Amino acid sequence: EVQLQASGGGLVQAGGSLRLSCAASGFNFDEYAIGWFRQAPGKKRERVSCTETEDGSTHYVDSIKGRFTALRDNSRNTAYLQMNNLQPDDTAKYYCAAERGWCSSSESMYNFWGRGTLVTVSS
């Protein structure tokens, strides 16, 4: 069974930090790029980051550059998103997704999606 389980969300005050985890199983994790997406109510889903499989390079959306760090541990089939200096605009449900091959900007190219974890940042 393919599983992609995001966890680590919660309620945090502005300026705080959270570390999200994405545990994968049921597929060859090291063959897939891992993207983090978020969606706030009334807004379209956006890609926060994507980490390549081959070289570990990560792409970030401009709004979080310098605050978020994405990484992966292929030996554990787990990806992480370290979120620092969180702001209310970061409030959203965060999803991890897996795409076979290199990172794509198109959501339709991602093969597997987790159910997401909610991050709420209060002011």
Side-chain angles (χ1 to χ4, degrees):
E1 179 183 358
V2 172
Q3 288 189 308
L4 206 58
Q5 184 67 49
S7 62
L11 175 64
V12 65
Q13 292 184 329
S17 299
L18 286 172
R19 183 179 176 90
L20 305 183
S21 298
C22 178
S25 61
F27 65 98
N28 293 325
F29 183 78
D30 60 358
E31 297 178 357
Y32 288 74
I34 299 297
W36 286 95
F37 295 79
R38 67 184 182 185
Q39 186 168 26
K43 295 185 178 180
K44 66 178 181 180
R45 187 163 56 193
E46 67 173 345
R47 194 182 75 176
V48 176
S49 69
C50 187
T51 302
E52 305 282 6
T53 298
E54 297 298 328
D55 60 7
S57 297
T58 300
H59 313 268
Y60 297 102
V61 68
D62 287 344
S63 62
I64 58 87
K65 285 183 178 178
R67 298 189 296 121
F68 292 8
T69 302
L71 63 154
R72 64 190 296 160
D73 186 343
N74 287 346
S75 68
R76 295 181 176 179
N77 288 353
T78 303
Y80 305 92
L81 184 67
Q82 178 66 46
M83 305 184 295
N84 297 325
N85 192 23
L86 284 159
Q87 301 300 312
D89 285 348
D90 297 317
T91 295
K93 194 168 187 179
Y94 285 72
Y95 302 84
C96 59
E99 175 192 3
R100 190 174 188 193
W102 295 87
C103 291
S104 174
S105 61
S106 175
E107 294 182 7
S108 65
M109 296 300 295
Y110 288 81
N111 302 94
F112 308 123
W113 290 80
R115 291 187 176 183
T117 184
L118 182 63
V119 173
T120 303
V121 184
S122 65
S123 59

